[in-house]
Amino acid sequence: MIEIKEGVEFIEVEGGKELKGTVRISGAKNAALPLMAATLLTDRTVVLNNIPYLLDVFTMKSLLEHIGIEITEEERGKFSFCFTEVNSLEAPYEPVSKMRASILVLGPMVARFRQAKVALPGGCSIGTRPVDFHLKALEKMGAKVKVEHGYIYAEAPNGLKGTVIEFPKKTVTGTENIMMAAVLADGKTVLKNAAREPEVVDLANMLKKMGAQIEGEGTDTVVIEGVKRLKGAEHTIIPDRIEAGTFAVLSALFEGSIIVENYPSHYLKYVHTVMERIGISMVQVGTDSFVAKRSKNLRPVRIETKEYPYFPTDLQAQFMSLLSVVEGKSVIRENIFENRFMHVPELRRLGADIQINGREAVINGVKKLTGAPVKATDLRASAAMVIAGLIAEGTTRIYDIYHLDRGYENIDSKLKALGASVSRGIE
């Protein structure tokens, strides 16, 4: 269990140390959370392997236990989920306020128990992520939905009905939530303009192991034929492509001296094309191990974030840290979230030369960064601060690191094993 301490916790990074060695990528946070929520759909035991130890994972664990799932840790990273008795059909405000992915229990609860009360997710520092698409889709499937007093109330006394749902824009959690709702619905549900992310595919793969009838996962159109009930299953969570991309950046910055194991190269093909333009190649050195090989002089690039299979918004901040020390002018356009440049002022504190123009950040590469106190403004920005601190001269102290623990398993231990000077403190 991750310990939550009182006070303001920080990580201090001493830059300029040589990093080398091997790091292993953990299970994907963005796959683990919907897979855990899917255990609500059956009264049989579901076993999940490769669950990462993250704050978000333990928030979801607490929420599922509150609802009535008995969760047992069989061994490190292996948990069994058994739903024996309903304690509550409410997802209270506290866990939902900590983690927006808590909304993923809505679809499964309405599908299986025909009712749910879920706290409305609050604001998000990187931009608005409304749940309207989830609610309108459930209404189209026959649920009665109302939002009042900060809660979503949904009920389907006669069960959900299959229908055609076209999302106005791609939504990962919306696709996952309605896919889970549809597996127990009466008839066929067709999801159009569905999200194609590997984490969505991983959820579909586990649901199919449980007896769900799903076709088209990984494409824009997913077809689900509802079944009466689902059985238990055992499933291993895919590697975290965002953590993998983060360590790929570090490997490049440290001259390919870092070997990245359990590296999901097939999920990062587009990212690799961007890296090639910069002058970085990911080279396979083992069954699932890769290192970054780089040209002597890296090149500036233009990057635009877009839904999978294109460049992920979740790697934007880490690549900005990289490009901040690449000679020339690079441009990053953020197309997913309207407020995901909050790390720019923090990088400037370290000496980066970055200007923001609407949804674009213009990065003029500098020769070096220098250590300074900064804060992690969101989960992925926290990793960008760590990367910047590792290549900066002097000491960088990073505050608000709970963001880091939400999405990166044992990152300070992993970095120390590579030779980094990283320590935690509290004030």
Side-chain angles (χ1 to χ4, degrees):
M1 181 67 73
I2 294 172
E3 182 183 359
I4 300 176
K5 301 175 182 176
E6 295 295 326
V8 179
E9 198 175 4
F10 60 83
I11 279 183
E12 201 160 80
V13 179
E14 190 69 37
K17 304 291 184 182
E18 182 184 354
L19 268 60
K20 62 180 179 179
T22 301
V23 63
R24 185 167 183 81
I25 300 306
S26 300
K29 173 185 88 85
N30 290 338
L33 300 176
L35 290 169
M36 292 171 73
T39 64
L40 288 164
L41 291 164
T42 180
D43 59 1
R44 302 299 177 91
T45 299
V46 175
V47 177
L48 290 176
N49 299 298
N50 203 30
I51 290 185
Y53 280 52
L54 303 169
L55 280 180
D56 279 8
V57 165
F58 285 103
T59 298
M60 180 64 82
K61 177 177 180 289
S62 297
L63 175 56
L64 295 177
E65 288 173 331
H66 168 81
I67 294 169
I69 294 186
E70 184 177 313
I71 303 174
T72 305
E73 185 174 6
E74 306 290 347
E75 57 188 62
R76 172 82 189 190
K78 180 178 182 178
F79 290 78
S80 65
F81 299 75
C82 185
F83 203 155
T84 55
E85 187 177 351
V86 177
N87 292 334
S88 172
L89 291 178
E90 176 184 345
Y93 174 71
E94 185 183 5
V96 178
S97 66
K98 291 178 182 176
M99 182 186 69
R100 293 184 58 86
S102 302
I103 193 70
L104 288 165
V105 302
L106 177 63
M109 283 202 291
V110 176
R112 183 158 173 224
F113 304 110
R114 302 190 175 187
Q115 61 176 303
K117 176 185 176 183
V118 178
L120 196 64
C124 179
S125 62
I126 60 173
T128 56
R129 291 194 268 185
V131 297
D132 299 16
F133 299 163
H134 308 231
L135 307 187
K136 288 175 182 176
L138 286 173
E139 285 180 325
K140 196 167 183 186
M141 296 175 76
K144 296 177 181 177
V145 180
K146 64 179 179 180
V147 178
E148 60 183 23
H149 307 301
Y151 276 85
I152 300 164
Y153 296 83
E155 60 177 3
N158 300 315
L160 296 174
K161 310 296 181 186
T163 186
V164 177
I165 294 165
E166 183 163 3
F167 295 111
K169 63 181 290 188
K170 289 189 184 296
T171 162
V172 173
T173 53
T175 300
E176 292 166 339
N177 224 345
I178 303 309
M179 183 191 298
M180 288 188 282
V183 294
L184 293 180
D186 181 18
K188 181 189 293 185
T189 300
V190 179
L191 305 182
K192 295 186 175 182
N193 199 28
R196 299 169 57 188
E197 273 70 3
E199 297 78 16
V200 174
V201 176
D202 203 32
L203 173 62
N205 287 339
M206 189 184 83
L207 290 171
K208 290 199 283 189
K209 288 181 183 178
M210 296 167 68
Q213 302 294 315
I214 303 172
E215 294 179 352
E217 65 277 10
T219 74
D220 293 322
T221 303
V222 181
V223 180
I224 306 110
E225 190 72 48
V227 297
K228 294 293 185 186
R229 62 183 56 85
L230 295 180
K231 58 186 180 181
E234 182 166 352
H235 185 77
T236 298
I237 295 167
I238 60 174
D240 195 311
R241 62 193 171 99
I242 305 304
E243 185 193 15
T246 302
F247 277 102
V249 167
L250 267 183
S251 184
L253 285 166
F254 287 89
E255 308 292 341
S257 59
I258 300 171
I259 299 171
V260 189
E261 286 185 343
N262 200 29
Y263 184 84
S265 61
H266 45 297
Y267 300 148
L268 293 165
K269 289 180 180 177
Y270 190 85
V271 173
H272 290 167
T273 66
V274 173
M275 295 176 77
E276 292 279 356
R277 298 206 311 267
I278 298 171
I280 302 164
S281 300
M282 293 304 293
V283 179
Q284 189 166 358
V285 294
T287 304
D288 62 358
S289 300
F290 285 72
V291 297
K293 299 295 184 185
R294 51 173 286 182
S295 58
K296 184 176 181 180
N297 296 314
L298 299 182
R299 300 179 292 272
V301 293
R302 178 182 176 87
I303 297 174
E304 292 203 23
T305 64
K306 196 175 178 183
E307 296 89 349
Y308 190 83
Y310 301 103
F311 194 91
T313 181
D314 281 354
L315 282 176
Q316 177 252 103
Q318 299 91 313
F319 270 74
M320 191 177 291
S321 290
L322 166 66
L323 294 171
S324 69
V325 291
V326 172
E327 185 179 356
K329 184 174 80 172
S330 295
V331 178
I332 296 179
R333 180 173 180 81
E334 174 57 55
N335 292 314
I336 306 299
F337 294 117
E338 70 275 11
N339 196 25
R340 206 168 198 178
F341 285 146
M342 291 192 301
H343 48 279
V344 169
E346 306 306 308
L347 285 173
R348 284 178 183 155
R349 289 178 57 78
L350 298 172
D353 181 356
I354 307 170
Q355 286 79 43
I356 299 173
N357 182 15
R359 283 186 172 265
E360 292 191 346
V362 179
I363 306 115
N364 293 295
V366 297
K367 291 189 180 297
K368 66 177 182 180
L369 301 177
T370 53
V374 294
K375 65 179 180 179
T377 53
D378 63 68
L379 194 164
R380 304 307 172 183
S382 65
M385 293 301 110
V386 171
I387 291 170
L390 289 167
I391 61 173
E393 282 187 0
T395 302
T396 299
R397 181 174 285 193
I398 306 163
Y399 292 92
D400 291 351
I401 60 163
Y402 67 90
H403 287 298
L404 200 61
D405 294 329
R406 286 186 51 224
Y408 289 89
E409 181 178 36
N410 297 330
I411 190 164
D412 37 348
S413 298
K414 289 182 177 183
L415 290 171
K416 284 178 184 177
L418 296 172
S421 177
V422 178
S423 60
R424 287 189 182 232
I426 194 162
E427 63 180 35

